[in-house]
Amino acid sequence: MSLRFHEIAESRHRILNPLSHDKLNLLGEICRIGHGTRQLDLACGKGEMLSRWASRYGLHGVGVDISSVFLSAARERAAELGVTDQVRFVEADAGTYTDEPESYDIVSCIGATWIGDGLQGTLDLMRRPLRPGGIVLVGECFWQSPPPAEACSALEIPEDTITSLAGTAERLEAAGFELVEMVLSDPDSWDRYVASQWWTLNDWLRANPDDPDASAIRDFLDTSRRTHLEYGRQYLGWGVFVARQ
């Protein structure tokens, strides 16, 4: 799926993951954020987490993303919440971005572990800018129950890419981190994230029937709807995992 497809499908989303507004607030409470806490958010999307936590808790942060479309929305949101002096957004590849070592209290990558070719590689990227005693937040899929091969194929997730919930904790431990908390999505969260894209894409296709990407976006919409209803809702879980070295 191209970056443009993501930008179109999630154009009406504020949070670009299956995480409700209430659970994003809960995650902020769990992290015990204080005034001046510093956070680096890799693949930050529209920056809702950073801007909201800056407004609520006095956090200062940097968000990194490759999408100029999402970053434009992030800067608008920061201005809306009056936190432009607390958060900064950088257009860059989060997988190669470098920052001052051991300088952030929180390093996060929510739903984008592809930046490190998987969970363990992404944790390696997050380790360097994390201060001693700091926490990482990783948004990651997991299998709620062992999936049939056809589910992996339909969802385009190779079987060894993600694992069970317990297996995710084991992968964190293997990378030198201890799981200390988590916030998991539920079926309704998945519906609000995935199903709400269907209407957005349907509207876009009606408004742009002659766009060169229209046929591919129609295929994406049809596939997204079918795989979510047939497999994703039953087998695919998602959560934000809070861990310390």
Side-chain angles (χ1 to χ4, degrees):
M1 181 178 175
S2 74
L3 178 60
R4 186 186 186 215
F5 288 13
H6 279 289
E7 292 168 345
I8 293 170
E10 298 175 293
S11 60
R12 294 172 179 166
H13 286 53
R14 180 166 285 173
I15 301 171
L16 308 187
N17 286 290
L19 189 68
S20 69
H21 289 275
D22 287 344
K23 289 191 174 182
L24 180 58
N25 293 338
L26 172 61
L27 183 62
E29 294 170 11
I30 286 170
C31 291
R32 305 174 187 178
I33 300 167
H35 186 81
T37 295
R38 300 192 72 225
Q39 180 176 357
L40 173 64
D41 190 20
L42 300 173
C44 67
K46 295 182 181 179
E48 180 66 18
M49 180 168 61
L50 285 179
S51 291
R52 186 180 301 196
W53 289 358
S55 177
R56 280 176 169 251
Y57 306 114
L59 175 142
H60 289 248
V62 175
V64 181
D65 204 277
I66 59 173
S67 170
S68 60
V69 173
F70 289 160
L71 291 176
S72 177
R75 294 182 182 108
E76 289 178 9
R77 180 61 168 157
E80 178 185 347
L81 293 178
V83 295
T84 54
D85 60 334
Q86 295 169 240
V87 295
R88 178 169 60 92
F89 295 102
V90 178
E91 185 174 347
D93 182 344
T96 58
Y97 177 79
T98 58
D99 207 316
E100 185 179 349
E102 298 186 353
S103 58
Y104 290 94
D105 305 292
I106 302 171
V107 179
S108 52
C109 179
I110 309 299
T113 54
W114 48 264
I115 68 170
D117 295 322
L119 176 58
Q120 289 170 300
T122 300
L123 288 167
D124 287 339
L125 296 176
M126 301 168 77
R127 193 188 317 273
R128 185 172 182 273
L130 184 68
R131 70 163 180 81
I135 60 173
V136 296
L137 308 178
V138 187
E140 178 74 327
C141 289
F142 60 89
W143 295 120
Q144 299 195 81
S145 59
E150 57 267 27
C152 299
S153 176
L155 294 166
E156 298 183 348
I157 302 175
E159 290 188 51
D160 60 347
T161 301
I162 63 174
T163 182
S164 65
L165 191 54
T168 301
E170 291 171 359
R171 289 185 177 184
L172 284 163
E173 291 173 5
F177 289 86
E178 180 181 4
L179 179 65
V180 296
E181 253 282 16
M182 64 183 184
V183 176
L184 303 183
S185 66
D186 54 31
D188 182 66
S189 300
W190 269 115
D191 289 343
R192 300 283 41 82
Y193 174 61
V194 178
S196 61
Q197 294 181 34
W198 305 341
W199 196 315
T200 300
L201 291 166
N202 183 276
D203 280 350
W204 186 91
L205 286 165
R206 288 169 181 263
N208 300 275
D210 298 322
D211 189 281
D213 285 332
S215 177
I217 288 176
R218 164 57 68 183
D219 290 343
F220 166 71
L221 169 57
D222 292 343
T223 300
S224 170
R225 185 165 44 217
R226 184 181 66 256
T227 57
H228 177 68
L229 296 174
E230 190 169 8
Y231 299 112
R233 214 171 187 273
Q234 179 178 355
Y235 293 104
L236 201 58
W238 188 90
V240 179
F241 301 94
V242 183
R244 292 193 292 204
Q245 293 189 89

